[in-house]
Amino acid sequence: GESVGLHLPTLSVQEGDNSIINCAYSNSASDYFIWYKQESGKGPQFIIDIRSNMDKRQGQRVTVLLNKTVKHLSLQIAATQPGDSAVYFCAERSVGRGFQKLVFGTGTRLLVSP
Amino acid sequence: AAGVIQSPRHLIKEKRETATLKCYPIPRHDTVYWYQQGPGQDPQFLISFYEKMQSDKGSIPDRFSAQQFSDYHSELNMSSLELGDSALYFCASSQRGFGDTQYFGPGTRLTVL
């Protein structure tokens, strides 16, 4: 069945380092991918998205890369800050019958040390 | 900017009781989604509504029902609660045709004793 998963459950970095969070997906028909940040006890917060007709998209301190050949998605965070500590989820939009339910992958916990 | 509002934020119920969760989408958003997140798990899609009609259905138990009202707010009704229903319940909203990005609310933490 469809699945979106992450390679590493926990990533520990030092403040100021660049962080890379990876995600693999299995539904080659997916057309839209999103990264969410979730802090403890809060709802997922939209970070950045990318459509399947793109390979790269940049935001403020974040970059998402999409490799459709190997069905891989990554989130790069530049100059990681303690406030970036959270669980990060990639999500795939299921095109299904034309509606937009999200299929989430297993989250990766990012720990940023001062 | 206005965000998705969910109420209540916390809810404690006994087994076999019923619960109603409410969601108020971002203004002008016409689509509402419900997700369930168990401890240490990723959010799982339950059900969605577009313009007050059910648009998609996921792993929602038959004991649960939901609807979207004329003012676009949505309610998730849960009956015959079980211990396994304890989870965070998130509502998200989006605007069809404007990127469709789903924005999530703060969630309702349901504890079933």
Side-chain angles (χ1 to χ4, degrees), chain A residues 32 34 36 38 41-46 49 51 89 93-94 97-107, chain B residues 9 31 33 35 37 41-43 45 50 55-58 88 90 96 99-106 109:
Chain A
Y32 179 58
I34 312 104
Y36 285 95
Q38 187 175 26
K42 297 184 178 180
Q45 177 187 354
F46 172 84
D49 58 3
R51 297 190 183 276
F89 291 98
R93 183 172 69 179
S94 173
R97 293 170 291 158
F99 299 109
Q100 294 86 31
K101 72 175 183 182
L102 295 176
V103 176
F104 283 80
T106 303
Chain B
R9 294 295 312 278
T31 309
Y33 312 79
Y35 293 85
Q37 185 178 31
Q41 298 179 2
D42 56 282
F45 172 75
Y50 168 64
S55 56
D56 205 351
K57 194 171 183 180
L88 273 168
F90 291 107
R96 186 70 59 91
D100 299 317
T101 301
Q102 294 183 30
Y103 295 93
F104 283 75
R109 181 176 295 280

Side-chain angles (χ1 to χ4, degrees), chain A residues 3 8 14-15 27 44 54 60 65 71 73 75 80 83 100:
Chain A
S3 69
L8 299 173
Q14 294 288 322
E15 181 178 2
N27 187 352
M54 302 172 68
Q60 186 178 11
L65 299 177
K71 288 185 266 185
L73 191 69
L75 175 69
T80 314
Q100 294 86 31

Side-chain angles (χ1 to χ4, degrees), chain B:
Chain B
V4 176
I5 297 172
Q6 290 187 247
S7 68
R9 294 295 312 278
H10 301 273
L11 191 58
I12 299 175
K13 291 287 185 177
E14 299 279 344
K15 280 172 52 179
R16 293 180 288 278
E17 286 190 321
T18 61
T20 298
L21 279 55
K22 297 184 179 183
C23 169
Y24 298 86
I26 293 171
R28 292 185 296 279
H29 281 197
D30 49 24
T31 309
V32 170
Y33 312 79
W34 286 97
Y35 293 85
Q36 178 191 58
Q37 185 178 31
Q41 298 179 2
D42 56 282
Q44 295 289 320
F45 172 75
L46 293 178
I47 195 167
S48 63
F49 292 87
Y50 168 64
E51 286 290 345
K52 293 154 290 210
M53 299 286 289
Q54 181 180 310
S55 56
D56 205 351
K57 194 171 183 180
S59 51
I60 184 170
D62 292 340
R63 299 177 289 107
F64 295 5
S65 65
Q67 58 182 324
Q68 185 180 31
F69 295 86
S70 58
D71 63 351
Y72 294 100
H73 94 272
S74 178
E75 295 183 4
L76 177 65
N77 299 294
M78 311 161 71
S79 63
S80 302
L81 286 169
E82 302 173 356
L83 296 178
D85 295 330
S86 295
L88 273 168
Y89 291 84
F90 291 107
C91 171
S93 72
S94 69
Q95 188 173 15
R96 186 70 59 91
F98 287 85
D100 299 317
T101 301
Q102 294 183 30
Y103 295 93
F104 283 75
T108 294
R109 181 176 295 280
L110 172 66
T111 302
V112 182
L113 302 176

